Amino acid sequence: MRKINEIIVHCSATRPSWMADNGIEEKRDEIKRWHVADNGWRDIGYHYLIDRDGQTTRGRALEDQGAHTQGHNANSIGVCLIGGHGSSVNDEFLANFTDEQDQALRVLIDSLQTRFPSIKKVSGHNDYTAAKACPGFKVARWIAGKPAAKPLMAST
């Protein structure tokens, strides 16, 4: 098993209604198709996905290095929240995701940290790629339960 020391949170950048009549497995399979067919990857990039109703499913095997955050895949687990279309890095979690996803993500993080005590860091894709809003909130602020930062207004 590879050494895992971080969880990196992402979003699918899909609208809340995206594939609303489909289950999490069908959504996972569609995202996998994007990653394999469109990007040429061998598998879906994420290890877990969390649907809007809080259901969680596995993506890539934990034993396999993910393909979700360039330069940070070797020792991390990638988790993708379904949703987040049009989100901003400074949004509140609940502006783009559901209470059920909030609870499911917290449970998954706790479970993974119990299983892998070497996990000392939980971050967002936007912590590594400034040009990305993904996952659509600041993970450290969300974990700490603090409100999102307000963008500075230009002075007139």
Side-chain angles (χ1 to χ4, degrees), residues 12-62:
S12 62
T14 52
R15 296 181 187 280
S17 61
W18 177 73
M19 294 184 71
D21 294 333
N22 298 83
I24 185 67
E25 290 81 14
E26 289 88 3
K27 293 173 186 177
R28 177 202 54 216
D29 293 347
E30 179 62 10
I31 293 171
K32 180 178 179 175
R33 188 190 66 72
W34 299 343
H35 289 179
V36 173
D38 298 347
N39 295 339
W41 301 346
R42 64 177 176 78
D43 198 356
I44 190 169
Y46 311 114
H47 296 95
Y48 289 94
L49 295 94
I50 301 174
D51 205 350
R52 302 200 50 86
D53 63 2
Q55 288 189 57
T56 302
T57 193
R58 291 285 298 273
R60 186 178 286 226
L62 285 176

Side-chain angles (χ1 to χ4, degrees), residues 25-152:
E25 290 81 14
E26 289 88 3
K27 293 173 186 177
R28 177 202 54 216
D29 293 347
E30 179 62 10
I31 293 171
K32 180 178 179 175
R33 188 190 66 72
W34 299 343
H35 289 179
V36 173
D38 298 347
N39 295 339
W41 301 346
R42 64 177 176 78
D43 198 356
I44 190 169
Y46 311 114
H47 296 95
Y48 289 94
L49 295 94
I50 301 174
D51 205 350
R52 302 200 50 86
D53 63 2
Q55 288 189 57
T56 302
T57 193
R58 291 285 298 273
R60 186 178 286 226
L62 285 176
E63 296 79 23
D64 295 339
Q65 175 177 307
H68 52 87
T69 308
Q70 188 172 12
H72 299 275
N73 292 313
N75 302 107
S76 65
I77 294 173
V79 178
C80 179
L81 296 163
I82 302 297
H85 175 78
S87 62
S88 162
V89 69
N90 288 317
D91 285 351
E92 295 284 348
F93 183 94
L94 293 175
N96 299 292
F97 305 102
T98 66
D99 287 320
E100 293 84 359
Q101 285 175 300
D102 183 300
Q103 182 63 25
L105 181 56
R106 291 179 190 280
V107 166
L108 179 60
I109 290 169
D110 287 346
S111 172
L112 290 170
Q113 287 179 316
T114 297
R115 181 172 173 191
F116 301 102
S118 57
I119 295 175
K120 302 296 183 202
K121 185 174 184 182
V122 180
S123 55
H125 191 189
N126 53 27
D127 290 317
Y128 296 106
T129 309
K132 300 258 183 194
C134 172
F137 61 97
K138 290 302 281 182
V139 171
R141 210 175 284 129
W142 168 77
I143 288 172
K146 297 177 185 170
K150 301 277 189 237
L152 294 175

